Amino acid sequence: MYKLKNTIKLTLIIAFTWMCLLPATASQKGKSSEKQLLQAEDFKHYVDYFNRMEDENIAGAIPNTESWEWMKANIPLFECPQANFEEMYYYRWWTLRKHIKETPKGYVMTEFLVQRPYADKYNMISCALGHHIYESRWLRDRKYVNDYVHVWFRGNEGGKMNKLLKFSSWTANALYNKYLVDGNKEYLVDMLPDLLSEYEAWELEKKTPSGLFWQYDVRDGMEEQISGGRHVKNKRPTINSYMYGNAKAIAKIAGLAGKKKVAEKYEAKADTLQKLVNDSLWNAEANFYETVNEKGGFAEVREEIGFIPWYFNLPKEKQQSAWEQVKSTQGFLAPFGLTTAERSHPEFRSHGCCSCEWDGAIWPFATSQTMTAMANLINNYDQDVVNDSIYFRLMELYVESQYYRGRPYIGEYLDEVTGYWLKGDQERSRYYNHSTFNDLIITGLVGLRPRDDQKIEVNPLIPEDKWDWFSLDQVSYHGKSVSIIWDKTGEKYKLGKGLIILVDGKEVGRSEHLEHLVCSY
């Protein structure tokens, strides 16, 4: 009788436990589903409009008819009360998708949809490779960017494509920052030999006896600048900042690979370059990083490339005064955004060559570099020169600039006063894949700052009085699904007031204010 009672008791316990487990699992799944606050179908109307907006004369791996299903499967969802921000977010994913091309070697990304005579195989151009990696790292399926990088480095009978080094590169830095999002250590470490080979090739070709690197402005993709020229071997803030960022990244990648000596070697290279850039390219009289002429001396012009060092957190604290220039209409601030040269210079908009004007007109390539650099300045430096209000206003101008004839448009470059796209009626300019935008929304505006640990860091660069609500939902980060929500009153999302961070549907952080948060998960 005793054994029977115990058997019945044990059976009841097992049955009760089993019944509890099933509802708990279902309940948890339901909870996660509820925390995915944004429903993809609510944003399909944008893609329907974009598809109707054009005659699709060039289709890539994902044609317009498949664009919505692809976006739904791959991108984080975003909503906010400022309609043009929201529209541009989905437009830029829609246009990026156009540049994905399937080849016998794997997926690649193009810069122009039309064939360019100076492109490599598959119409690839390496100039904006860093931008492509930064932007594409937020896609859920990383096969597109992973394949693309492999084709560049291994698609030519196992070796580099012929024109990989045609343009200056910050690829190692971009790949490390991709790793901070996807956590794919195996892929990153496997790329180390390729990145070392690339760095050594740049040293052989472009390193001067001083230790600084030189570059033609056209090989930075920036012809013709006031400071430069297609045949002038100047020491420029561009390539020297890129090489610093690459050296720092290679040191970190080598550390992940357990290659201590390589890590130490490249950390030393980065330290040397940092000192050289700060000692030699910082013009103390102009309070700006400037190009140094091949024959010596500063070029005596402030150009937007002088902000690039902050893209890689290269400067010391004293250089922050340079950023006064983004607030000045005599500096870089124009009605439609930031110019590529200071507006007060006597040669502003006079130096253009071959229908490419980097002497003052606005280029999204440079704008996205500067906005990434500014977000780094605000997040990583103790300074009071720029703040979230300035960042937000410049992002507003960036959004407003990306329209042409009343419709969303991204092209090569535009007039800083009228907003007129200077190649807007040319087929080559349409959907130009030469900049980032959504990476700026995610890491700058909403403020998800990728890290190498098990923490979520968020620092929105949106003044608290601008938007009463926004949500960035279903972000693929460290193998998790992250949601970032701001609800000033608590009425929009019904989760309470404030800034809320969810990981896989579970709340990990909250603040009553739109402020910096670091949360464990």
Side-chain angles (χ1 to χ4, degrees), residues 214-335:
W214 66 269
Q215 185 59 287
Y216 307 118
D217 60 5
V218 67
R219 294 300 181 91
D220 276 335
M222 300 176 178
E223 71 279 13
E224 299 234 351
Q225 291 193 290
I226 296 172
S227 68
R230 289 169 174 260
H231 308 289
V232 184
K233 298 179 179 181
N234 288 342
K235 302 176 186 73
R236 294 164 54 80
T238 47
I239 190 169
N240 285 286
S241 297
Y242 299 162
M243 296 306 290
Y244 167 81
N246 287 337
K248 290 288 286 187
I250 288 171
K252 290 176 180 176
I253 298 165
L256 290 170
K259 296 184 180 297
K260 184 179 178 182
K261 288 185 178 179
V262 175
E264 290 173 348
K265 178 181 177 180
Y266 275 82
E267 192 65 46
K269 286 178 184 287
D271 290 345
T272 299
L273 258 180
Q274 183 179 41
K275 186 175 189 309
L276 285 169
V277 170
N278 284 323
D279 289 349
S280 302
L281 300 188
W282 176 256
N283 185 340
E285 290 186 13
N287 283 321
F288 215 76
Y289 287 103
E290 288 187 11
T291 292
V292 170
N293 294 321
E294 183 177 358
K295 295 179 180 179
F298 287 110
E300 300 294 345
V301 56
R302 296 185 186 97
E303 294 171 312
E304 197 174 3
I305 59 174
F307 296 118
I308 289 176
W310 281 272
Y311 191 107
F312 306 98
N313 299 298
L314 182 156
K316 301 295 186 181
E317 299 292 341
K318 68 178 182 179
Q319 280 91 14
Q320 64 196 31
S321 57
W323 289 89
E324 294 288 353
Q325 298 298 322
V326 302
K327 301 185 290 186
S328 169
T329 55
Q330 295 298 301
F332 297 89
L333 183 60

Side-chain angles (χ1 to χ4, degrees), residues 97 335 417:
R97 170 269 325 170
V417 175

Side-chain angles (χ1 to χ4, degrees), residues 398-412:
Y398 190 21
V399 171
E400 291 165 9
S401 73
Q402 294 179 76
Y403 286 86
Y404 186 62
R405 303 189 190 281
R407 299 183 300 184
Y409 181 90
I410 182 64
E412 294 183 68

